[in-house]
């Protein structure tokens, strides 16, 4: 009875919210792009500077409880919808950062609201299980409908997690277990291994390493932090591990003008990878795996050619290292393919692919041979959240129904073309424009200029993100259309014209 009553109350509340979402919108009809969803606003609307007085008051309150210095402003998510984020002061902004690239189909999407309105889904949102020991009856079916329906080629196994860091951390563990199992010849674990691992000593705790790249970001837990090399503030004061760090190519732009130089740069980096693998093997610190992002995101939106990644995959195979592709930020469709590494055209798939952000849940796909050989080896209390799998299944339906992968390609082309035009007009402010799909970025002269541009844009009604030392990154939702790109470009053109 209580469950039925709660279900009715929730459904009623959601229906009211659903009506509010559509009320007051204006349908946009432009030659540039026809809007396909009926819940988007028609443009920014600014009432105060950002952060406004209410945000500043709330920031002061929160800072009394925890360090809140990273907070940009406080949001009104009830009023946010589509590509627009509304803050607590009533400012409505075109959001091209989408919660650090984690909102797949916009704010308050009607399909997700409808999902929440269905009484049969109520239990999934209320009763969060310890999935490793007590999963719900439909858990396997939910995984097939959601994650496994978009699994990368050759990776039939999946384990869910709660965030990107724990996805990579547990992927490292799976790789180390796989490597050690190979070394011991798939024989039984020895008594010495069992005893030595309890005091953090070999052979139970072998001295394996993960090779990573300068500029990479893979999370903030201890193992992940040893492979993160984007900003000093992430790593300062934290003990770390002696794991190899290779240089990531620093390409020159425009690419067509520096073909030879960029090929040489990539060859240099690949040679260093092989040298490090050999060097660490001689130090008795075997490289069990290599981790890399398809586009280094937090570290500055650093790209490399598809050929670079194919050759890197070959090096991993040659030396018996697992090849781990971190798709936490690039996965989910923003590059025009569901997984950014699909652009590489690998003959031999990656061994492990991690995900989070736009995928609603964290976790990793892997080949059969990376499957743990005993229970509790890859484990935590939650192991993700079934409600996120339910939502992801609906997100995937929307992506397919609305052809949002192609949309990311077309909208990304409009955005990138416009940025290249602005670069030609304002070369003293914008350089190295680059991107794939809507996953675009550009460099500014320095950190101070970058931060000032982001602040001005925010006060003009556009939310942008920074990355690396001086880059601006674009991380819009998958429902970001051509006309959103043109709207932004018009606003930003005025900002650059008047920048002092």
């Amino acid at each position: 009875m209580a469950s039925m009553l709660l279900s009715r109350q929730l459904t009623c509340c959601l229906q009211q919210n659903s009506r509010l979402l559509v009320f007051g919108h204006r349908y946009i009809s432009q030659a540039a792009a026809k809007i396909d969803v009926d819940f988007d606003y028609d443009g920014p609307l600014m009432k105060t500077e950002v952060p406004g007085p209410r945000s500043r008051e709330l920031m002061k309150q929160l800072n009394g409880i925890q360090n809140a210095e990273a907070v940009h402003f406080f949001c009104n998510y009830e009023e946010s919808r589509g590509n627009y984020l509304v803050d607590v002061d009533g400012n409505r902004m075109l959001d091209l950062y989408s919660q650090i690239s984690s909102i797949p189909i916009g704010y308050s999407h009607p399909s997700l609201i409808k999902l929440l309105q269905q009484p049969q889904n109520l239990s999934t949102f209320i009763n969060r299980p310890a999935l490793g020991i007590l999963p719900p009856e439909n858990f396997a079916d939910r995984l097939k409908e959601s994650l496994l329906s978009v699994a990368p080629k050759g990776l039939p196994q999946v384990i869910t997690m709660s965030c990107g860091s724990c996805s990579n951390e547990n992927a490292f563990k799976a790789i180390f277990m796989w490597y050690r199992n190979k070394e011991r010849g798939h024989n039984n674990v020895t008594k010495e291994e069992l005893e030595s691992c309890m005091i953090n000593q070999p052979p139970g705790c072998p001295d394996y390493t993960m090779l990573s790249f300068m500029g990479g970001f893979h999370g903030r837990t201890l193992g992940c932090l040893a492979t993160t090399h984007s900003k000093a503030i992430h790593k300062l004061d934290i003990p770390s591990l002696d794991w190899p760090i290779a240089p990531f190519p620093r390409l020159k732009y425009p690419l067509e003008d520096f073909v030879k130089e960029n090929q040489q740069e990539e060859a240099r980096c690949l040679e260093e990878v092989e040298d490090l693998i050999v060097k660490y093997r001689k130090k008795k610190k075997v490289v069990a795996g290599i981790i890399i992002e398809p586009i280094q995101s937090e570290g500055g939106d650093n790209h490399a050619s598809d050929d670079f990644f194919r050759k890197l995959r070959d090096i991993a195979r040659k030396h018996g290292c697992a090849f781990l592709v971190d798709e936490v930020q690039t996965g989910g469709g923003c590059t025009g393919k569901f997984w950014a590494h699909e652009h590489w055209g690998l003959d031999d798939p990656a061994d492990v692919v991690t995900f989070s952000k736009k995928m609603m849940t964290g976790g990793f796909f892997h080949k059969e041979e990376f499957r743990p050989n005993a229970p509790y080896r890859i484990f935590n209390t939650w192991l993700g959240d079934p409600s996120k799998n339910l939502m992801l299944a609906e997100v995937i339906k929307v992506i397919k129904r609305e052809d949002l992968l192609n949309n990311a390609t077309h909208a990304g082309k409009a955005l990138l073309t416009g940025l290249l035009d602005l670069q030609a007009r304002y070369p003293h402010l914008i350089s190295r424009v680059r991107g794939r799909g809507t996953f675009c970025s550009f460099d500014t002269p320095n950190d101070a200029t970058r931060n000032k541009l982001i602040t001005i844009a925010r006060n003009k009604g556009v939310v942008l993100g920074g990355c690396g030392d001086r880059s601006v990154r674009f991380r819009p939702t998958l429902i970001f259309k051509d006309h959103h790109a043109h709207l932004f470009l018009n606003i930003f053109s005025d900002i650059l014209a008047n920048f002092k």
Side-chain angles (χ1 to χ4, degrees):
M1 183 67 183
S3 176
M4 290 175 60
L5 179 60
L6 184 56
S7 175
R8 290 194 200 102
Q9 290 174 335
L10 180 63
T11 301
C12 179
C13 177
L14 288 168
Q15 287 172 340
Q16 290 174 350
N17 287 342
S18 180
R19 285 193 293 271
L20 285 171
L21 288 173
V22 181
F23 180 79
H25 88 282
R26 278 182 278 173
Y27 191 86
I28 302 169
S29 178
Q30 291 181 225
K34 176 179 176 291
I35 190 163
D36 294 323
V37 290
D38 63 354
F39 66 107
D40 217 16
Y41 289 107
D42 60 355
L45 177 64
M46 304 304 292
K47 298 180 179 179
T48 72
E49 65 175 352
V50 181
R54 179 59 178 156
S55 267
R56 292 196 297 271
E57 177 188 338
L58 292 171
M59 291 163 78
K60 183 177 180 181
Q61 290 180 24
L62 183 59
N63 205 47
I65 301 169
Q66 58 183 236
N67 187 316
E69 293 175 30
V71 173
H72 297 169
F73 53 87
F74 279 76
C75 303
N76 181 344
Y77 290 107
E78 289 77 12
E79 292 296 324
S80 301
R81 57 184 184 256
N83 289 284
Y84 290 87
L85 179 60
V86 178
D87 74 359
V88 292
D89 290 282
N91 298 299
R92 187 171 75 211
M93 293 161 275
L94 178 63
D95 189 359
L96 304 189
Y97 197 35
S98 65
Q99 308 292 322
I100 321 179
S101 193
S102 66
I103 301 291
I105 55 173
Y107 294 100
S108 303
H109 196 285
S111 293
L112 294 181
I113 290 175
K114 184 178 179 181
L115 189 76
L116 278 151
Q117 290 173 340
Q118 297 169 0
Q120 69 269 26
N121 295 331
L122 185 61
S123 175
T124 303
F125 289 94
I126 293 177
N127 301 308
R128 186 178 184 182
L131 282 170
I133 57 171
L134 297 167
E137 180 182 9
N138 61 6
F139 186 52
D141 288 337
R142 292 291 189 217
L143 288 175
K144 292 174 185 176
E145 294 167 2
S146 57
L147 289 165
L148 291 174
S149 74
V150 292
K153 183 181 74 171
L155 306 186
Q157 299 278 298
V158 68
I159 299 175
T160 50
M161 293 287 162
S162 294
C163 70
S165 291
C166 59
S167 301
N168 281 325
E169 193 84 19
N170 282 282
F172 293 173
K173 289 168 59 180
I175 287 169
F176 292 145
M177 292 172 192
W178 162 80
Y179 200 95
R180 184 66 183 123
N181 201 33
K182 283 199 308 177
E183 279 196 332
R184 68 166 66 96
H186 305 278
N187 294 319
N188 291 333
V189 177
T190 65
K191 180 182 178 183
E192 183 185 12
E193 287 176 302
L194 292 172
E195 291 177 348
S196 60
C197 77
M198 297 303 290
I199 54 171
N200 304 335
Q201 296 296 314
C205 291
D207 208 356
Y208 295 153
T209 67
M210 291 291 299
L211 184 146
S212 55
F213 289 82
M214 187 59 66
F217 180 90
H218 302 289
R220 301 169 192 261
T221 50
L222 277 173
C224 292
L225 208 53
T227 62
T228 288
H229 318 287
S230 48
K231 292 185 177 69
I233 194 66
H234 300 153
K235 298 172 67 75
L236 183 66
D237 299 331
I238 312 299
S240 197
L241 302 161
D242 178 18
W243 288 1
I245 309 164
F248 190 86
R250 181 69 174 176
L251 301 185
K252 294 182 177 180
Y253 290 82
L255 296 175
E256 59 270 20
D257 292 349
F258 297 97
V259 174
K260 184 178 179 180
E261 293 89 339
N262 288 338
Q263 288 175 343
Q264 291 173 341
E265 169 69 356
E266 292 189 341
R268 177 188 72 84
C269 294
L270 290 168
E271 183 179 357
E272 182 68 15
V273 168
E274 289 217 68
D275 289 346
L276 284 167
I277 292 172
V278 173
K279 175 184 175 182
Y280 270 73
R281 185 181 297 137
K282 290 179 179 178
K283 290 171 59 176
K284 308 297 183 185
K285 290 178 174 287
V286 173
V287 177
I290 297 172
I291 183 170
I292 196 160
E293 300 161 90
I295 301 169
Q296 284 191 334
S297 305
E298 183 68 29
D301 266 32
N302 305 314
H303 292 245
S305 71
D306 296 339
D307 186 61
F308 171 83
F309 291 104
R310 287 192 291 266
K311 289 176 178 175
L312 182 64
R313 206 280 168 262
D314 291 342
I315 289 171
R317 186 190 311 105
K318 173 183 174 182
H319 291 277
C321 310
F323 189 53
L324 193 172
V325 180
D326 179 349
E327 290 256 24
V328 167
Q329 190 157 160
T330 54
C334 48
T335 66
K337 292 187 181 292
F338 205 92
W339 303 106
H341 75 271
E342 292 180 65
H343 290 284
W344 305 341
L346 294 179
D347 293 326
D348 182 13
D351 295 306
V352 183
V353 172
T354 53
F355 57 85
S356 190
K357 291 190 181 283
K358 279 186 171 66
M359 298 301 290
M360 314 295 286
T361 181
F364 59 97
F365 296 99
H366 59 88
K367 292 180 177 176
E368 290 273 1
E369 55 262 41
F370 290 82
R371 182 186 175 107
N373 61 2
Y376 298 104
R377 301 207 74 190
I378 301 291
F379 192 87
N380 57 52
T381 299
W382 299 127
L383 284 174
D385 184 340
S387 69
K388 302 302 181 185
N389 298 332
L390 181 65
M391 294 174 72
L392 175 60
E394 189 62 33
V395 166
I396 292 168
K397 289 178 185 176
V398 171
I399 290 172
K400 292 177 178 178
R401 184 174 68 242
E402 299 183 9
D403 197 19
L404 294 184
L405 296 185
N406 278 329
N407 178 70
T409 299
H410 294 307
K413 184 178 180 180
L415 178 60
L416 193 65
T417 300
L419 289 173
L420 288 168
D421 177 65
L422 291 177
Q423 177 179 260
R425 287 194 281 151
Y426 304 101
H428 60 295
L429 293 174
I430 293 182
S431 63
R432 301 182 75 241
V433 168
R434 54 204 183 273
R436 196 160 224 171
T438 58
F439 208 96
C440 297
S441 58
F442 63 82
D443 282 4
T444 62
N446 50 55
D447 176 62
T449 301
R450 186 262 308 274
N451 294 344
K452 187 175 181 181
L453 283 171
I454 290 175
T455 299
I456 294 172
R458 192 168 62 196
N459 285 317
K460 296 289 186 180
V462 176
V463 180
L464 299 171
C467 62
D469 296 329
R470 54 195 178 97
S471 300
V472 172
R473 58 176 154 172
F474 297 82
R475 299 293 185 269
T477 71
L478 297 176
I479 61 167
F480 176 82
K481 307 284 186 178
D482 286 20
H483 74 270
H484 295 112
H486 295 309
L487 175 61
F488 157 73
L489 291 165
N490 287 336
I491 294 171
F492 204 60
S493 177
D494 290 341
I495 291 171
L496 294 173
N498 295 301
F499 189 81
K500 296 177 181 179

